[in-house]
Amino acid sequence: MTDATASGMAVPAGRPKSSLLAQTALMKKRNASEARFKFYGVAAIVLSLSVLAFMLWTILNDGVSAFFQAKLSFPLELTAETLDPEGNRNRDEMARVTTIGYGRVLTTAFATELEKRGIAVEGVSEKDISDMISKDAAGDLRATVLANPQMVGTTIDATVLATGRIDGYLKGRVTMETAERDSNVTPQQLQLADALRDAGILGSSFNWDFITSPDASDQRPEAAGLGVAIMGSAYMMLLVLITCVPIGVAASIYLEEFAPKNTWTDAIEVNISNLAAVPSIVFGILGLAIFINFAGMPQSSSLVGALVLSLMTLPTIIIATRASIKAVPPSIRDAALGIGASKMQTVFHHVLPLAMPGILTGTILGLASALGETAPLLLIGMVAFVDNYPAASVAGVLDPATALPVQVYGWAQRADPAFIERSSGAIIILLIFLVAMNVLAILLRRRFERRW
Amino acid sequence: MNDMRIVERTVDTQNTKITARGVQVHYGTSHAIKDLNVDILDKTVTAFIGPSGCGKSTFLRCLNRMNDTIAVCKVSGEIKLEGEDIYDARVDPVQLRAKVGMVFQKPNPFPKSIYDNVAYGPKIHGLTRNKAELDEIVESSLKKAAIWNEVKDRLSAPGTGLSGGQQQRLCIARAIATSPEVLLMDEPCSALDPIATSQVEELIDELRSQFSVVIVTHSMQQAARVSQKTAFFHLGHLVEYGETGQIFTNPQDPRTESYISGRIG
Ligand SMILES: Nc1ncnc2c1ncn2[C@@H]1O[C@H](COP(=O)(O)OP(=O)(O)OP(=O)(O)O)[C@@H](O)[C@H]1O
Ligand SMILES: [Mg+2]
């Protein structure tokens, strides 16, 4: 005791007595380095946020316009002579009239309306006028009329898509100067478009079809939509969820809680970590070889896509699940085992509920990365042009489909600048899905954590 | 043959709950318990004392096979509960642990409600037929563990929200709710204030009428107060085992004497 007091009183050698009110040189140095470190941290965050903001701004700037589309509205007489030559409103007989016939009806009605309203621009031929209507409009009209034959003979208020160039003119992408050099549009057509806009015939409105329609060919960017891609992605996410979560969680529980720790399980562990690092395109080759060439599953189908994405996501889910199981304090297991719970009861009553937030977050983040995956899907043929919806039944997973990121890639490759806009629009939809999934992950985690 | 005679004697007196013979415990290469023999009596409080790291917890965990959960831990020798070898291949450790309950050194309530913490054991062992019986077990266990008055108004609050001492008493309640035959307590009072400690000590004294209690403690006073038998451990050996009064007043081994007089440990 006496020793301690004595040494406590002595000021250690080499430490001069100093006032608390003044900083020593060493203290100043330490504070300065701390301030520097904080500055680097803030700078790094500011830099990454500004890059993110710039990226978002570019995408929104390019993409938001994809959700709006130039449309022409005019009264449309569905002339019975052209559309139903037999005159008995029989769907099968009417089906003999091709889109050419419907195109003629549209063009006539449009030209008549222009004439009636006295809108004319010199140097615009009849063909130029009809070219302002999207090539997709005739097919659309045909489908509508065939679905409802009684419409024939009446006059309806039609709203049809304008061509991509006119749409581009309204959005500022096409100008008089570019039109001079463009074989698809003439400056006179643009002048006519101005006149039509003033007359209220041409207008831009929100375009649900962009979200619901299937893809369209190179000549018809105005009609291209994400419907098939969204369905394909949704099918795949559902299938990935169904295959990955049970397998991944069961495998993790077994490896973490039940498997003996030996060379075999060590090897499995190393391999799972390695699988998570395998480039995704390799999984695409694997899927092509196994699921399509060997097992003979249909190309471009969401089923094959989902299986490939599952292979890719499984290691991520297993790693996340094992990490969150490992993070459950061992004292909880001791407590349960100590009062005579079996291993199984310990895991399912105590460990899993505590690991749940981590498992859910890992799963959703794994799904999110699968949603954004493109490369392996290219290899299994999901990049093909698909303009039919996959069936809405279980068998729909065997139908050809495409996926959101693949659609982005496909559109970005096309020549017409109108597709670049749509590509950015598709990215916006993809980002909305990703953000929604992340929000879901956060909400679920909060919910499960808040219980205690 | 020598062993046989001892076993016979213990069965005859109907007094010995646990017999340990030649118990060795290895953690990988380190030898934690060296050739330990002990008879733990029924309806008696047995205190394990000894310096830190001498193997008290290790031996305690052998008695309900909690050491099975540690991969590197190897137990050899023979431990019998009422004449049945608990390390026999036919013994399911889960069934054993229902008979030999344990309270750990660090309080470890489940992150569930106070009620569920206590009710969990009776539920999984099917001790009750209906909710009323379960309620009663929960209440009586919490009362025995001297925590009922503090928690009776918030049985649905999380057990992890209690103070350290309250958590430990909750763990004791949880252990006695399954009505074990032997209760192992590893420093149950290390997180408790003197009042709670004396309540737990009273509880231990009460439990003696039904169970055999083994308590590890670092407090000589506590060992002296609650136990009838005391075992002194040193460096993996059971140095001395006998009546508590005799160990504290007249130890046979010089190491015991120096430990209780504060010279080693
Ligand atoms: N899980 C383990 N793995 C390896 N060695 C261990 C493990 N647990 C305990 N040991 C070792 O076994 C020996 C006995 O430890 P034990 O926990 O039984 O001591 P103790 O007497 O309970 O000590 P204390 O009073 O500090 O709790 C120590 O040397 C310790 O290092
Ligand atoms: Mg200990």
Side-chain angles (χ1 to χ4, degrees), chain A residues 354-377:
Chain A
L354 287 180
M356 212 41 141
I359 295 177
L360 285 173
T361 317
T363 305
I364 292 178
L365 294 184
L367 279 183
S369 77
L371 178 64
E373 197 53 67
T374 326
L377 301 182

Side-chain angles (χ1 to χ4, degrees), chain A residues 261 331-343 345-346 349-350 353-354 451-452, chain B residues 61 66 69 94 97-98 101-102 104 108-113 120-121 124-125 158 174 178:
Chain A
K261 301 275 171 284
S331 63
I332 296 296
R333 295 185 184 87
D334 281 353
L337 292 174
I339 54 172
S342 69
K343 196 88 197 229
Q345 287 170 326
T346 304
H349 296 167
H350 302 290
L354 287 180
R451 278 181 30 214
W452 302 113
Chain B
R61 291 166 63 92
M66 280 302 284
T69 60
V94 172
R97 288 179 202 135
M102 184 159 198
F104 294 83
N108 53 358
F110 297 130
K112 296 183 188 297
S113 71
Y120 183 69
I124 58 171
H125 296 303
R174 183 177 65 187
T178 52

Side-chain angles (χ1 to χ4, degrees), chain B residues 27 30 32 50-59 70 72 105 187 218:
Chain B
Y27 287 110
S30 90
S52 191
C54 64
K56 306 178 297 290
S57 301
T58 301
F59 181 62
I70 301 171
V72 292
Q105 195 162 351
E187 297 183 42
H218 277 292

Side-chain angles (χ1 to χ4, degrees), chain B residues 12-265:
Chain B
D12 281 347
T13 56
Q14 285 293 309
N15 210 3
T16 306
K17 193 74 185 172
I18 297 173
T19 34
R21 290 291 172 268
V23 175
Q24 313 265 1
V25 181
H26 293 263
Y27 287 110
T29 53
S30 90
H31 200 170
I33 298 283
K34 295 156 190 164
D35 192 26
L36 187 144
N37 300 301
V38 71
D39 289 327
I40 290 169
L41 304 183
D42 199 8
K43 304 199 194 307
T44 305
V45 177
T46 307
F48 288 178
I49 58 170
S52 191
C54 64
K56 306 178 297 290
S57 301
T58 301
F59 181 62
L60 201 68
R61 291 166 63 92
C62 289
L63 299 180
N64 68 346
R65 291 187 61 174
M66 280 302 284
N67 279 337
D68 290 13
T69 60
I70 301 171
V72 292
C73 183
K74 295 278 171 292
V75 180
S76 59
E78 185 186 72
I79 301 178
K80 288 189 172 178
L81 176 68
E82 295 186 325
E84 293 174 331
D85 186 355
I86 64 170
Y87 281 89
D88 190 288
R90 284 165 296 177
V91 171
D92 189 334
V94 172
Q95 225 169 323
L96 169 71
R97 288 179 202 135
K99 284 188 170 191
V100 184
M102 184 159 198
V103 175
F104 294 83
Q105 195 162 351
K106 220 177 94 204
N108 53 358
F110 297 130
K112 296 183 188 297
S113 71
I114 293 172
Y115 182 93
D116 288 340
N117 260 284
V118 184
Y120 183 69
K123 259 191 218 158
I124 58 171
H125 296 303
L127 299 184
T128 56
R129 271 160 301 162
N130 52 39
K131 178 89 166 68
E133 278 184 19
L134 191 61
D135 286 351
E136 197 176 317
I137 290 194
V138 170
E139 182 174 339
S140 68
S141 306
L142 287 169
K143 275 184 179 152
K144 278 188 205 157
I147 190 181
W148 173 251
N149 286 331
E150 285 152 78
V151 300
K152 62 170 186 269
D153 301 324
R154 46 170 177 156
L155 288 178
S156 56
T160 39
L162 298 172
S163 78
Q166 290 172 325
Q167 287 187 11
Q168 188 62 299
R169 279 176 285 155
L170 177 62
C171 292
I172 295 174
R174 183 177 65 187
I176 56 186
T178 52
S179 21
E181 296 170 17
V182 179
L183 189 60
L184 310 175
M185 302 173 119
D186 195 344
E187 297 183 42
C189 299
S190 58
L192 302 190
D193 67 20
I195 298 170
T197 302
S198 72
Q199 284 169 334
V200 171
E201 285 174 5
E202 249 167 63
L203 158 73
I204 292 171
D205 204 50
E206 256 169 58
L207 294 176
R208 181 158 68 95
S209 59
Q210 307 160 41
F211 317 123
S212 161
V213 179
V214 183
I215 173 171
V216 172
T217 177
H218 277 292
S219 153
M220 302 304 143
Q221 290 85 343
Q222 184 171 54
R225 278 194 303 264
V226 299
S227 71
Q228 287 77 53
K229 290 279 204 174
T230 297
F232 172 63
F233 286 69
H234 188 239
L235 299 176
H237 294 284
L238 177 66
V239 173
E240 194 166 352
Y241 176 55
E243 296 294 330
T244 300
Q246 182 247 315
I247 296 269
F248 281 100
T249 53
N250 185 20
Q252 303 298 309
D253 195 288
R255 285 172 290 177
T256 318
E257 207 208 326
S258 18
Y259 181 68
I260 53 182
S261 61
R263 259 174 287 155
I264 46 172

Side-chain angles (χ1 to χ4, degrees), chain A residues 47-66:
Chain A
L47 184 70
S48 36
L49 281 185
S50 50
V51 170
L52 179 70
F54 179 71
M55 191 188 82
L56 281 180
W57 181 79
T58 328
I59 291 172
L60 289 179
N61 201 29
D62 288 355
V64 167
S65 57

Side-chain angles (χ1 to χ4, degrees), chain A residues 155-235:
Chain A
T155 300
I156 57 169
D157 283 323
T159 302
V160 300
L161 290 172
T163 63
R165 287 298 192 281
I166 300 297
D167 180 52
Y169 180 59
L170 294 195
K171 289 170 183 167
R173 189 173 61 234
V174 175
T175 59
M176 293 294 173
E177 292 85 67
T178 61
E180 298 276 2
R181 289 177 263 120
D182 193 336
S183 61
N184 288 322
V185 70
T186 62
Q188 288 76 16
Q189 276 178 315
L190 297 186
Q191 281 165 17
L192 182 60
D194 278 335
L196 287 171
R197 188 165 47 179
D198 294 341
I201 295 175
L202 176 64
S204 193
S205 61
F206 192 81
N207 186 20
W208 280 111
D209 290 344
F210 177 62
I211 298 167
T212 57
S213 302
D215 196 5
S217 66
D218 278 358
Q219 282 76 44
R220 295 177 291 155
E222 65 277 5
L226 286 168
V228 176
I230 291 177
M231 273 183 89
S233 280
Y235 279 9

